[in-house]
Amino acid sequence: MKIIYHCWGAAHSSVTAAAIHLGLLPEDRVPSAVELLKLPYFDKQTRAGHGVLHFYGVDQAGNEVFILGRESHAVLVPRIVLGLAAVVGVDPHELRFVDTMPCVNLLMMLGGFLSRSAGLVFPGRSIVTFGTRLAYMALSAVARRERERAAKPEPVATRERTPPAVVYNCFGSAHSSVVTAAIHLGLLPCDRVPSSREIASVPLYDRVDTAEIGTIFFAGKGADGRNVYILGAGPAKALLPKLAGSLLRAYGVQPEDVVLVNCLKNIGLLTRVGGFLSRELGWVKLGRPMSAYGIRRCYDRLAASALQPGNALTDKERCLIMEK
């Protein structure tokens, strides 16, 4: 099992809880500031490390412990990671997410902001360390609970061998990713611009609700043998490549077996506005035709990014489009 302690930036509360879980810190007393500052990653994480599953150690039951900075996306990021895990054949019960933010106090927030965001390390580090010591016994209770749960793990199925996959991603998995996946699967043409009616008739087009953002949808199997998925990463879209990359490394999956294709950058303002009107405001009769018209205007770019056999893209050109 992989136990993932997560908080905003993976610099304080998640680091402390993971260290208690692994026995690097005591669970029955508050450690000194020096003990906290000796921990790997404690008040040292940068924005570049957000979205990465950082391996922290192996507990006594053989479970791997990670820390994760997921920013404000406490629900969205675990949902995305679990979806990506399913793509590579991982049993979702093998991943356990532990949110440490409920233990965080105002001093930790202030000190963390000053040290990690404002660059005022000396005052910020002193404040966040003091705040962490105040919150320590609450963090210890969380870590102790999770360690006890993990000591009796449920049987986990062996990871199944899955076909190579491509995950077309955008903001809401309702427009650009749906259309690009449809081109890959041959549901839409790659050699001409389809009508708005053809676009609107594609399964899931302009139909995924905001509450489903972060869910990975299986779209079909392409002629190239790849499983095709669509994903709306929402406001966590900047973290997606790092989440996927670190998850694949954690399970020893080859990067070429799962390709991420960013479709959002291929659309224009009309599709964005139409999608907002339809999905956010519920003005479907106005928003859906507008989004489809916008898709037609940028259709050549969407077709070029689809991994469609014979789409005239060279391997070098594909590398410029895809985020691996």
Side-chain angles (χ1 to χ4, degrees):
M1 177 177 290
K2 290 176 171 51
I3 302 169
I4 303 168
Y5 288 94
H6 61 95
C7 62
W8 176 278
H12 305 107
S13 63
S14 61
V15 171
T16 303
I20 298 169
H21 184 122
L22 292 168
L24 302 177
L25 288 175
E27 68 175 43
D28 56 353
R29 68 170 176 85
V30 178
S32 66
V34 173
E35 288 177 285
L36 288 173
L37 292 172
K38 284 182 178 178
L39 292 174
Y41 296 107
F42 187 87
D43 199 52
K44 299 178 182 69
Q45 189 71 266
T46 65
R47 195 70 179 265
H50 294 183
V52 177
L53 293 168
H54 298 280
F55 176 70
Y56 216 72
V58 179
D59 68 13
Q60 293 181 345
N63 302 297
E64 295 179 328
V65 177
F66 294 79
I67 58 172
L68 170 64
R70 42 71 174 170
E71 299 184 351
S72 62
H73 316 302
V75 175
L76 185 57
V77 163
R79 185 185 297 168
I80 291 173
V81 173
L82 288 171
L84 290 171
V87 166
V88 296
V90 174
D91 188 326
H93 293 96
E94 191 178 336
L95 290 165
R96 180 176 294 165
F97 290 86
V98 184
D99 188 359
T100 57
M101 283 301 293
C103 301
V104 173
N105 53 44
L106 289 176
L107 286 175
M108 294 176 72
M109 292 182 186
L110 175 61
F113 172 77
L114 292 174
S115 177
R116 308 321 308 148
S117 297
L120 302 173
V121 177
F122 178 72
R125 185 164 290 175
S126 300
I127 294 170
V128 76
T129 302
F130 181 68
T132 301
R133 297 183 75 234
L134 290 178
Y136 188 81
M137 296 314 295
L139 290 166
S140 178
V142 170
R144 183 169 58 252
R145 181 195 69 209
E146 295 304 323
R147 188 174 60 239
E148 290 173 355
R149 288 179 63 191
K152 300 177 181 179
E154 300 177 2
V156 177
T158 304
R159 185 173 72 85
E160 298 179 2
R161 177 71 177 175
T162 56
V166 54
V167 181
Y168 293 106
N169 59 90
C170 60
F171 188 89
S173 62
H175 303 100
S176 59
S177 61
V178 173
V179 170
T180 312
I183 298 171
H184 184 134
L185 294 170
L187 302 178
L188 287 174
C190 62
D191 55 354
R192 66 174 176 84
V193 177
S195 67
S196 294
R197 178 172 293 185
E198 287 177 285
I199 292 170
S201 67
V202 171
L204 294 181
Y205 183 82
D206 195 55
R207 288 171 176 83
V208 176
D209 292 331
T210 302
E212 296 177 288
I213 289 178
T215 302
I216 291 184
F217 297 95
F218 177 67
K221 189 165 187 175
D224 56 358
R226 285 186 179 271
N227 282 342
V228 178
Y229 299 86
I230 59 174
L231 166 66
K237 59 184 181 299
L239 301 180
L240 179 58
K242 291 184 285 187
L243 288 170
S246 58
L247 179 72
L248 297 183
R249 287 193 297 272
Y251 281 101
V253 179
Q254 295 301 312
E256 59 270 19
D257 285 347
V258 180
V259 176
L260 298 181
V261 179
N262 179 5
C263 305
L264 188 61
K265 62 185 179 182
N266 295 325
I267 62 171
L269 184 61
L270 276 174
T271 302
R272 295 171 191 263
V273 173
F276 175 78
L277 293 175
S278 178
R279 308 321 308 148
E280 295 291 334
L281 301 184
W283 298 351
V284 177
K285 290 185 178 180
L286 175 61
R288 186 169 294 170
M290 183 183 295
S291 70
Y293 179 70
I295 289 291
R296 296 185 75 241
R297 289 175 62 89
C298 63
Y299 192 80
D300 58 337
R301 295 197 297 273
L302 295 170
S305 64
L307 301 186
Q308 173 81 10
N311 66 357
L313 260 189
T314 66
D315 289 339
K316 182 177 180 181
E317 288 170 329
R318 284 201 183 98
C319 289
L320 297 177
I321 294 172
M322 294 185 292
E323 297 173 356
K324 292 188 177 180

